[in-house]
Amino acid sequence: MTGAGVLEVVRPGALTTVQDLGRVGLAHLGVPRSGALDAPAHRLANRLVGNPAGAATLETTVTGCAVRPDRAVAVAVTGAPCPVRIDGRPAPWGAAVRVPGGAVLEVGAARAGVRSYLAVAGGVAVEPVLGSRSTDLLSGLGPAPLSAGTPLPVGPASGPAPWALPGTAAAAPGPPTGELVLPLVLGPRDDWFTGAALRTLARAAYRVSAESNRVGLRTEGPSPERARGGELPSEGMVTGAVQVPPGGGPVVFLADHPTTGGYPVVGVVPGEALAAAAQAVPGLPVRFVPLRR
């Protein structure tokens, strides 16, 4: 891809990574999928600037980031609502806006949720690794998390940006408020837990742990009672798998999860519910809703 410009990282924020839709079909080689944790927000940001869904965006964490393009670009910020400024002047969140060359685009701290997505027309065109531009924090594949001064190549725009009205993102699912409700399709190892344990999952007061990250959403609360002791041989893990480590609350595997694991998986959270998990702030109550297959 021929470059069409560069974004200079002015402020990297707490953790900003390049993400697309991930590395598909490589789990048998031990390669996690990775990719944007809030896929609907990532797709929306790309759509607003006229990119295909698979174009790479910047995924910020809590504190946002700031970049300076070397030429005029169309951008959009979605995901966790946050202030957006261009050279200090307010700009709309959830809409395509023009950033002049040399101006500083500031993605501010999240007002709700955890992760915001910055798309630029043409996409962030870092070199792909195993078919994806995503940063994988577990394996170390892909570009390193952003640091100040990093130049990020921008690809050529695929067409004119659909200049959406401010507020276009309002139709997208927002960050969970009050409670994170996670449907849980039981299995494959729910038989490793007692009936009381499954009732605990449905009724206990769990909360999002501050130890959560791109690998998994960790919860604080009671550990469901096992019906049998010992550990499993390592077996394949899917995104959304809910492992129960001994003496700890359930862990929901997210995009950078390991491809195998030895703790029993009591159930799997369907993919459409994981965007809310990606935006759940520490301390938020979590309620699992067990579902039989």
Side-chain angles (χ1 to χ4, degrees), residues 68-227:
R68 180 188 290 114
D70 68 343
R71 62 198 69 187
V73 292
V75 304
V77 180
T78 62
C82 61
V84 179
R85 295 183 176 86
I86 299 172
D87 272 350
R89 295 185 297 276
W93 171 90
V97 296
R98 180 181 183 276
V99 181
V104 173
L105 170 68
E106 178 78 25
V107 179
R111 291 175 172 146
V114 178
R115 296 173 173 91
S116 298
Y117 291 83
L118 167 59
V120 55
V124 179
V126 296
E127 192 68 25
V129 177
L130 296 178
S132 170
R133 295 181 166 92
S134 289
T135 300
D136 182 342
L137 297 180
L138 182 67
S139 70
L141 292 173
L146 268 56
S147 58
T150 300
L152 298 171
V154 176
S158 56
W163 297 98
L165 294 173
T168 300
T177 58
E179 182 182 49
L180 173 64
V181 179
L182 294 176
L184 181 67
V185 180
L186 294 175
R189 301 298 179 187
D190 54 311
D191 59 343
W192 276 56
F193 299 89
T194 65
L198 299 182
R199 290 190 292 274
T200 294
L201 269 175
R203 301 172 184 171
Y206 290 102
R207 290 187 178 274
V208 176
S209 168
E211 300 300 314
S212 300
N213 54 28
R214 283 186 49 85
V215 175
L217 178 86
R218 297 181 179 275
T219 65
E220 298 171 345
S223 183
E225 180 185 13
R226 293 259 194 108

Side-chain angles (χ1 to χ4, degrees), residues 47-68:
R47 186 163 70 247
L48 288 170
V49 298
N51 288 342
T57 63
L58 297 182
E59 178 185 275
T60 72
T61 308
V62 181
T63 62
C65 71
V67 296
R68 180 188 290 114

Side-chain angles (χ1 to χ4, degrees), residues 7 13 16 22 31 42 98 125 138 151 206-207 234 248 284 286 293:
L7 295 178
T16 301
V31 178
H42 163 88
R98 180 181 183 276
L138 182 67
Y206 290 102
R207 290 187 178 274
S234 287
L284 186 72
V286 180
R293 288 168 288 175

